Amino acid sequence: MEEQYKSDLKEIKDMMNRSSRFISLNGASGISVGVIALVGAYLAYANVFKQLGELNLKPIEITRPIFSNLLLIALMTLIIAIISAVFFTTRESKKLNQDIWDIQTKRLVINLSIPLVTGGLVCLFFLLKGYIALLTPLTLIFHGLALVNASQYTLKAIRGLGILIIILGILALFFLNYGIWFWAVGFGLLHILYGLMMQFRIKS
Amino acid sequence: MRELLNDLDKAFENKVRMGIMSALYVNEYLDFSTLKNLLGVTDGNLASHLKALEKREYLVFKKEFLNRKPNTKYYATKTGKDAFKKHIGAIEKLLNNK
């Protein structure tokens, strides 16, 4: 009888979890987002950061090419990353026979977007004011917060990824000159690593 | 001990009904196909258990049309949620008493 009760409780918890979380998130989307981020980081380094020399807390004069190059690279990276994530999750949803735009998805997108849009606006402000060195730590911190916030509505592993990215962002504040490297590790390598981990865990 | 056993709700003894209530407890509503996928049961099986829970007024449904296809949304009622909470509470106490 006791075993029966225990398994009932476990089943109830499991069902509450599965029915209220977005479970189509998968390793492939993490890996693709990471690879795109690495390309973005390289382009930002080659086209913008390399020319700027030593970066510190002092604002620099934002010239037209710096502004438009950086914004263009950032937006392209963001858009392509979103498209690839949507592509891979949609594919997974079809396999799991889930509607992609259901309640769970809406909740996930809204809760991910709130810190992310806030961070985007704050970063745009600092970019316009010339505090270019702050952009890499701040994007990391806000992205990490967004993941932690969204983790309640999807796979729990996302929470750990978010916390690691926040820590990287805070560390990056102390090494402003190497911001783009921290960015490449946080947005690129960590996503790829988590993607691989998720892929591996599901298969085994 | 006897009181606790009385708190156990016969309506949730069946696995499918227990699953339906667990899912509806944490979601505002779920539609038929989502429930079916979550539980992995046949249409007929799910329908009969939904009916049983509806009879006890543990859930209500709303029929809507989505792209001209019928789409039924199921909601747990206050009565249903309270009964389910009591049921879980009884299980937990029974386990703790041992």
Side-chain angles (χ1 to χ4, degrees):
Chain A
M1 207 58 191
E2 197 183 334
E3 284 309 303
Q4 177 65 43
Y5 289 144
K6 269 190 190 151
S7 88
D8 275 3
L9 271 189
K10 201 182 157 287
E11 264 179 59
I12 289 169
K13 261 188 215 151
D14 180 56
M15 180 54 73
M16 286 179 166
N17 244 332
R18 270 200 305 141
S19 66
S20 61
R21 285 165 189 269
F22 180 78
I23 50 171
S24 300
L25 208 66
N26 58 348
S29 35
I31 297 168
S32 73
V33 166
V35 171
I36 293 161
L38 281 181
V39 175
Y42 171 74
L43 289 176
Y45 174 73
N47 292 302
V48 182
F49 285 91
K50 217 166 125 187
Q51 279 91 315
L52 294 178
E54 174 98 15
L55 283 176
N56 51 45
L57 254 186
K58 284 196 210 90
I60 61 161
E61 198 194 334
I62 294 293
T63 60
R64 249 265 154 85
I66 294 179
F67 182 77
S68 51
N69 271 344
L70 203 56
L71 206 61
L72 186 73
I73 294 167
L75 283 179
M76 287 307 286
T77 310
L78 180 70
I79 291 168
I80 297 172
I82 290 174
I83 291 172
S84 86
V86 170
F87 171 77
F88 284 111
T89 37
T90 315
R91 211 181 53 168
E92 184 76 9
S93 288
K94 283 198 185 121
K95 258 192 259 164
L96 295 173
N97 214 354
Q98 276 205 324
D99 293 328
I100 179 84
W101 192 245
D102 58 9
I103 323 158
Q104 285 101 303
T105 322
K106 264 182 239 169
R107 265 196 306 221
L108 174 66
V109 170
I110 289 169
N111 285 289
L112 190 67
S113 302
I114 295 169
L116 227 46
V117 173
T118 311
L121 294 175
V122 170
C123 288
L124 197 60
F125 173 82
F126 279 120
L127 172 59
L128 288 169
K129 297 282 179 194
Y131 291 94
I132 209 157
L134 281 177
L135 298 182
T136 40
L138 283 180
T139 43
L140 280 167
I141 291 168
F142 279 105
H143 181 60
L145 288 172
L147 290 180
V148 170
N149 197 39
S151 68
Q152 301 167 45
Y153 307 97
T154 182
L155 306 177
K156 278 189 186 141
I158 298 303
R159 192 182 169 81
L161 176 62
I163 290 170
L164 280 178
I165 290 179
I166 294 172
I167 293 171
L168 262 182
I170 290 171
L171 277 177
L173 281 173
F174 293 93
F175 302 96
L176 287 176
N177 198 29
Y178 302 96
I180 193 75
W181 295 99
F182 281 89
W183 200 94
V185 170
F187 279 85
L189 291 184
L190 280 183
H191 280 90
I192 295 172
L193 208 71
Y194 258 75
L196 287 173
M197 244 167 59
M198 277 159 74
Q199 203 80 325
F200 186 71
R201 200 182 291 167
I202 290 160
K203 290 217 172 100
S204 59
Chain B
M1 188 71 182
R2 173 159 295 167
E3 264 170 43
L4 280 176
L5 287 172
N6 280 338
D7 277 350
L8 286 177
D9 198 323
K10 285 260 186 315
F12 305 129
E13 255 169 29
N14 176 284
K15 293 267 177 213
V16 179
R17 271 174 267 169
M18 190 179 80
I20 294 171
M21 278 316 283
S22 312
L24 290 181
Y25 194 86
V26 287
N27 287 282
E28 191 196 346
Y29 61 81
L30 290 171
D31 59 17
F32 191 88
S33 61
T34 308
L35 278 171
K36 200 182 122 186
N37 288 328
L38 277 169
L39 293 156
V41 289
T42 60
D43 284 22
N45 193 344
L46 178 59
S48 75
H49 287 300
L50 284 169
K51 199 161 235 166
L53 288 169
E54 195 209 329
K55 228 178 209 165
R56 288 181 153 259
E57 294 179 352
Y58 284 179
L59 59 85
V60 287
F61 64 84
K62 262 189 214 162
K63 264 211 163 90
E64 283 174 6
F65 285 88
L66 203 79
N67 302 326
R68 273 184 262 160
K69 274 187 231 153
N71 181 277
T72 319
K73 288 176 174 174
Y74 294 88
Y75 299 74
T77 60
K78 174 95 174 58
T79 322
K81 282 187 180 175
D82 288 346
F84 195 57
K85 209 172 166 182
K86 212 163 127 188
H87 182 74
I88 299 174
I91 296 179
E92 278 171 344
K93 275 185 208 142
L94 281 168
L95 283 174
N96 286 338
N97 276 357
K98 296 242 162 87

